[in-house]
Amino acid sequence: MPKIIKNREIIDDQWTTLAEPEQELETTPESTNIIVNLAYWLENKEALTARKGKVGVLLLGSDEPETFQEELKHIDLIAVDFPKFGDGRGYSISRILRERFNFTHEIRAVGDVLRDQLRFMERCGFDAYALRADKDMNEALASFASLSVEYQSDVLEKRPIYARRP
Amino acid sequence: MYAYKEYDQLLLNERVEQFRDQTQRFFKGELSEEEFLILRLQNGLYVQRHAPLLRVAVPYGMLNSTQVRKLAHIAKTYDKGYAHISTRQNVQFNWPKMADVPDILAELASVQMHAVQTSGNCIRNTTIDQFAGVAVNEVADPRPYCEIIRQWSTFHPEFAFLPRKFKIAVSAATDEDRAAIRFNDIGLRLVENAAGEIGFNVFVGGGLGRTPIAGSLINEFLPPKHLLSYLEAVLRVYNRYGRRDNKYKARIKILVKALTPDVFRDKVAEEWKHLVNTALDLPDAEVKQMQECFPEPAYEALEDNPAALMSAKKDSSAFSIWYRQNTDNHKKSGYRIVTLSLKPISVAPGDVTTDQLIAIADMADQYSFGEVRTTHNQNVVLADVKQELLYELWEKLKSFDFATANIHTINDIICCPGGDFCALANAKSIPIAEQIQRKFDDYDYVYDIGEISLNISGCMNACSHHHIGNIGVLGVDKKGKEFYQVSLGGDSGFDAAVGKIIGPSFKEEEVANVIETIIKFYIDQRIEGETFLMTYQRIGMAPFKEKVYAKNN
Ligand code: SF4
């Protein structure tokens, strides 16, 4: 079973991403937790929520949580795709999900996810990371703690530095 | 100036170790070129034509003498004995070894300096009016706000991977914009409203490069309390909707233009609704605390125009000319702002040697409370010099080649490293600057020409802001040959104008002659009291064009 980092620990991934849900769903057991793309979710949400397994939704950088905020209460996980390391749209998406829409389930970073961005992601509300396959997860865990001083207000720490200063 | 608190220093030390680890992983092959590229760019490290280029941040252009001595030490130990002041008030080293960079960063950290976010697609060093805090006409000292912005933008978790680089400039002077704020991604101008309260004009979407455009005013009065929430709203809209498919269309100016400034403003307002009145609010107490981090130096009660100054001006016409060209009024009587020219003839504009850096530090200690400023015109400023000591200082400046009385003249050329150093260049720029300086070597004539700006960029990236020089020169490549395009009428001030191209480009050896023709024509045409820009604005491009190309044929 593939591994991911969740809450700073390496665990077995409990979810299966269906790149082509139309074809793959038939052969996927009822109880498997699945991740499908947003368009498929929007068209098939009744059937999907009726399944035994949980359903997560994969968002692209261009997807806007504002346009489907009503759906969020039926969604058990959101995966945000980073097509490239340097494409930072996912950071804003995650903050909006957490801070504006109070989404409390897992938000997972997928795609070109490397250790040097994990703490930034965490501060923006991500709690799970599917590291790029060629990277060492144990080493990556160390990078969460490389910078201990953070000036800004973020998802985890509302108070900016000036409100925390002794 | 702002002195680091414990946590500022801790962060910097950790950053040095983080980058050391990243560099080691790169050398061990654990990081690919491309992965390391993004990481090193976040730390000001480029790979240039000859060697890596390390860009060191000088937050809003302020340095103390200890930092300047450290830069001198780095120039001597790790480079070829000189450093370069950039048009973003930063300092660049052109010849460090990649493997030495972690050590250089550790040296910098020991004096509260770093290279964080001096490159890459993130929020860059905030630039400022180099006379901030000492200028005569200022609404308030803008530096405390710049430090607040520095802290907010340093390792901001949401905005480390923007579509493209992002530059903020701040100015508070009422009479002049010395920071070219309308040609930044965000320009903030401190103003006072009718009720006597202070707030910001917010301009968005200005910039140069391939699509030069002046920023649009999207907020006429932003109270300081909301500074960070509003900046965060602008950045979030940009981060989500800025183009990422084409790096030439990725700056915020393209987004603002595509949406129109009005629609962009509405989008920001919509986003801001969710951010205002949250933890991002900046309480008055915090602004006040930050203001206390910029205490006024221990000025003495002095009179303007002391006898020592008056007699020196009378006795030495060279001194008196220097006084007129290279010094400016100070808000305190008995003091003067001194600009050191880094542009004597045949030196690459903005270059300083190790010895010169040490001399600057010594003079700052002796004459200016130990503080030094860099300017976006690539000069250096000693901001608080007693008028009675100006003559003594001038003698020293001369011996270090800092006293060329050419500030704001045609010889005060802003020039990028160009083809001699920069991998992106289409053409050389430094030799063009030298050619022009040689052409205008008669200083009586230079002063008669009066106030003018001349900017030379080696390519469309416009690092020297050629679009907003009164005269701009741009290196272009024509079938492998270096040519130069000349533009007129650029204005970096409040009126913010982009220069217009005069016509077909010129060969390298023609450039100085063309500039001479343009200047001669202006002198013929000007009305008493007009600067070059005023004459150009009055008579327009056509007569200049006719003159220049008629002569060429
Ligand atoms: S303008 Fe072009 S040539 Fe000059 S420094 Fe910038 S990128 Fe290099």
Side-chain angles (χ1 to χ4, degrees):
Chain A
M1 192 173 269
K3 307 259 185 209
I4 60 157
I5 296 174
K6 172 96 190 262
N7 295 327
R8 298 196 180 192
E9 279 172 25
I10 299 170
I11 61 162
D12 289 333
D13 189 0
Q14 310 289 342
W15 295 76
T16 303
T17 301
L18 305 185
E20 305 284 348
E22 241 120 301
Q23 286 101 62
E24 293 173 64
L25 210 48
E26 274 175 41
T27 56
T28 308
E30 262 279 291
S31 58
T32 303
N33 301 329
I34 56 168
I35 300 174
V36 299
N37 62 58
L38 179 63
Y40 190 82
W41 160 268
L42 290 173
E43 273 165 37
N44 303 283
K45 61 184 168 197
E46 277 82 22
L48 287 167
T49 41
R51 287 177 75 253
K52 260 209 227 105
K54 295 184 191 165
V55 190
V57 171
L58 172 69
L59 298 186
L60 306 178
S62 52
D63 288 330
E64 301 180 298
E66 294 91 331
T67 59
F68 60 93
Q69 47 176 298
E70 294 307 318
E71 308 295 325
L72 288 170
K73 53 182 177 291
H74 308 295
I75 296 175
D76 299 311
L77 171 148
I78 288 183
V80 180
D81 181 46
F82 287 81
K84 274 192 307 221
F85 184 83
D87 183 339
R89 290 174 294 180
Y91 295 87
S92 291
I93 290 176
S94 177
R95 283 195 81 164
I96 289 168
L97 287 170
R98 289 283 191 234
E99 295 178 320
R100 191 167 312 162
F101 300 125
N102 301 310
F103 186 75
T104 52
H105 297 296
E106 177 174 321
I107 302 182
R108 167 185 296 201
V110 303
D112 200 11
V113 179
L114 306 176
R115 61 184 264 187
D116 296 284
Q117 16 165 221
L118 297 185
R119 177 59 185 164
F120 280 173
M121 289 176 166
E122 187 177 49
R123 294 177 63 198
C124 287
F126 288 93
D127 53 3
Y129 317 87
L131 217 60
R132 213 174 71 191
D134 57 329
K135 298 291 168 185
D136 184 324
M137 282 199 229
N138 278 302
E139 284 183 7
L141 286 177
S143 66
F144 279 104
S146 52
L147 299 179
S148 68
V149 179
E150 291 157 349
Y151 290 116
Q152 302 80 9
S153 166
D154 61 34
V155 171
L156 304 177
E157 171 55 87
K158 288 284 147 215
R159 297 168 305 161
I161 189 91
Y162 47 81
R164 276 178 269 146
R165 212 162 36 207
Chain B
M1 62 191 260
Y2 183 78
Y4 271 20
K5 304 198 189 318
E6 227 171 274
Y7 50 78
D8 297 304
Q9 187 67 53
L10 176 62
L11 176 59
L12 215 49
N13 297 346
E14 290 175 347
R15 174 57 175 167
V16 171
E17 288 319 306
Q18 186 187 44
F19 190 70
R20 198 183 289 283
D21 171 62
Q22 288 167 350
T23 308
Q24 278 161 2
R25 278 154 56 205
F26 171 66
F27 280 123
K28 278 195 271 180
E30 291 168 24
L31 280 175
S32 69
E33 280 279 348
E34 196 202 351
E35 288 159 21
F36 186 57
L37 174 105
I38 291 177
L39 297 172
R40 68 175 160 76
L41 279 183
Q42 300 263 340
N43 222 339
L45 188 58
Y46 290 86
V47 175
Q48 289 288 53
R49 191 152 282 187
H50 305 291
L53 175 156
L54 179 66
R55 184 180 294 147
V56 177
V58 180
Y60 36 95
M62 296 284 300
L63 290 163
N64 61 39
S65 54
T66 311
Q67 293 173 325
V68 176
R69 287 198 184 90
K70 181 59 85 179
L71 294 173
H73 168 76
I74 291 169
K76 187 166 155 223
T77 316
Y78 302 96
D79 203 295
K80 295 189 172 177
Y82 62 94
H84 176 80
I85 312 279
S86 82
T87 50
R88 276 208 78 76
Q89 298 180 293
N90 288 325
V91 171
Q92 291 175 186
F93 292 104
N94 280 316
W95 308 92
K97 290 203 198 68
M98 181 92 86
D100 285 340
V101 171
D103 289 337
I104 299 175
L105 294 178
E107 297 246 23
L108 289 169
S110 72
V111 295
Q112 312 189 341
M113 293 188 81
H114 59 79
V116 172
Q117 290 172 216
T118 54
S119 53
N121 295 335
C122 50
I123 305 171
R124 304 287 190 87
N125 187 28
T126 300
T127 50
I128 194 177
D129 180 346
Q130 70 263 27
F131 295 167
V134 293
V136 180
N137 296 309
E138 204 170 60
V139 173
D141 187 345
R143 289 173 300 171
Y145 299 105
C146 292
E147 177 58 27
I148 288 168
I149 294 171
R150 183 193 75 80
Q151 297 190 9
W152 164 79
S153 61
T154 299
F155 299 123
H156 195 298
E158 187 178 343
F159 306 130
F161 302 98
L162 297 169
R164 201 77 176 84
K165 59 189 168 186
F166 201 90
K167 301 177 176 183
I168 302 175
V170 187
S171 163
T174 54
D175 54 344
E176 208 183 321
D177 175 6
R178 279 176 290 260
I181 60 166
R182 291 194 60 194
F183 293 98
N184 278 265
D185 297 291
I186 291 182
L188 297 170
R189 183 178 171 201
L190 263 180
V191 292
E192 197 175 319
N193 67 10
E197 297 154 339
I198 279 173
F200 295 97
N201 282 169
V202 182
F203 295 91
V204 171
L208 298 168
R210 271 156 224 258
T211 319
I213 186 168
S216 307
L217 185 64
I218 63 161
N219 194 324
E220 279 172 33
F221 192 82
L222 177 70
K225 184 177 175 208
H226 301 312
L227 177 61
L228 296 186
S229 55
Y230 198 79
L231 289 179
E232 200 139 319
V234 173
L235 264 298
R236 182 172 288 170
V237 170
Y238 173 53
N239 190 38
R240 296 183 70 193
Y241 301 106
R243 283 182 64 172
R244 290 174 185 269
D245 58 330
N246 177 342
K247 81 172 196 174
Y248 299 116
K249 296 198 187 312
R251 294 291 288 268
I252 195 174
K253 62 190 172 186
I254 305 290
L255 177 65
V256 173
K257 209 170 135 198
L259 291 174
T260 75
D262 283 337
V263 172
F264 183 83
R265 173 208 320 245
D266 293 346
K267 260 183 132 51
V268 170
E270 173 61 31
E271 186 62 43
W272 190 45
K273 278 202 306 217
H274 303 284
L275 299 171
V276 70
N277 301 325
T278 65
L280 281 171
D281 279 359
L282 201 54
D284 286 348
E286 172 53 24
V287 174
K288 200 155 161 281
Q289 247 209 23
M290 197 54 97
Q291 283 164 342
E292 282 161 12
C293 295
F294 293 83
E296 208 166 69
Y299 293 121
E300 292 168 36
L302 300 171
E303 294 288 315
D304 269 335
N305 300 319
L309 172 65
M310 299 316 277
S311 64
K313 272 164 73 174
K314 211 162 90 222
D315 295 346
S316 163
S317 66
F319 171 74
S320 120
I321 288 169
W322 172 82
Y323 176 89
R324 186 190 67 209
Q325 295 298 137
N326 290 26
T327 75
D328 281 274
N329 289 332
H330 195 287
K331 68 175 182 184
K332 288 279 176 208
S333 61
Y335 287 85
R336 199 91 186 144
I337 305 168
V338 174
T339 302
L340 281 55
S341 171
L342 299 192
K343 301 165 188 178
I345 200 161
S346 81
V347 169
D351 274 5
V352 269
T353 65
T354 304
D355 290 343
Q356 284 183 315
L357 285 166
I358 293 168
I360 290 172
D362 291 344
M363 290 187 287
D365 281 339
Q366 200 175 345
Y367 298 100
S368 198
F369 300 104
E371 285 186 2
V372 175
R373 299 158 181 230
T374 53
T375 82
H376 81 95
N377 300 336
Q378 302 176 287
N379 290 314
V380 163
V381 165
L382 298 178
D384 301 289
V385 181
K386 282 184 196 166
Q387 292 176 5
E388 61 197 33
L389 298 178
L390 282 171
Y391 187 82
E392 188 185 313
L393 174 61
W394 176 64
E395 292 282 2
K396 289 194 184 162
L397 292 176
K398 276 196 298 186
S399 64
F400 288 99
D401 217 0
F402 288 134
T404 313
N406 60 0
I407 303 300
H408 297 319
T409 69
I410 192 149
N411 284 341
D412 187 10
I413 296 170
I414 302 183
C415 179
C416 75
D420 295 298
F421 297 101
C422 176
L424 304 171
N426 282 328
K428 292 188 285 294
S429 53
I430 295 169
I432 300 296
E434 186 174 341
Q435 198 190 107
I436 294 170
Q437 285 183 325
R438 289 202 189 283
K439 179 68 78 182
F440 293 92
D441 62 350
D442 171 357
Y443 267 78
D444 287 334
Y445 186 50
V446 165
Y447 300 140
D448 183 39
I449 295 165
E451 187 170 331
I452 191 166
S453 57
L454 198 162
N455 305 40
I456 308 174
S457 299
C459 77
M460 269 317 240
N461 287 322
C463 296
S464 295
H465 312 161
H466 63 273
H467 301 107
I468 51 175
N470 300 161
I471 299 179
V473 177
L474 165 67
V476 290
D477 178 275
K478 271 199 198 167
K479 303 200 183 97
K481 279 225 156 63
E482 298 188 357
F483 276 79
Y484 295 86
Q485 204 171 61
V486 172
S487 59
L488 303 182
D491 180 3
S492 65
F494 289 141
D495 293 334
V498 171
K500 287 205 180 71
I501 297 164
I502 189 165
S505 52
F506 305 97
K507 293 199 201 91
E508 179 177 348
E509 58 274 17
E510 292 171 336
V511 178
N513 290 335
V514 168
I515 306 287
E516 189 183 31
T517 307
I518 291 168
I519 293 296
K520 274 202 180 125
F521 186 65
Y522 142 67
I523 296 213
D524 278 352
Q525 299 293 314
R526 75 177 161 191
I527 305 172
E528 178 83 37
E530 269 185 347
T531 60
F532 173 81
L533 187 63
M534 289 154 82
T535 302
Y536 171 83
Q537 283 166 347
R538 180 172 52 81
I539 68 177
M541 178 65 92
F544 280 100
K545 182 168 183 163
E546 200 173 302
K547 191 79 192 169
V548 165
Y549 291 96
K551 186 164 174 274
N552 258 16
N553 292 336

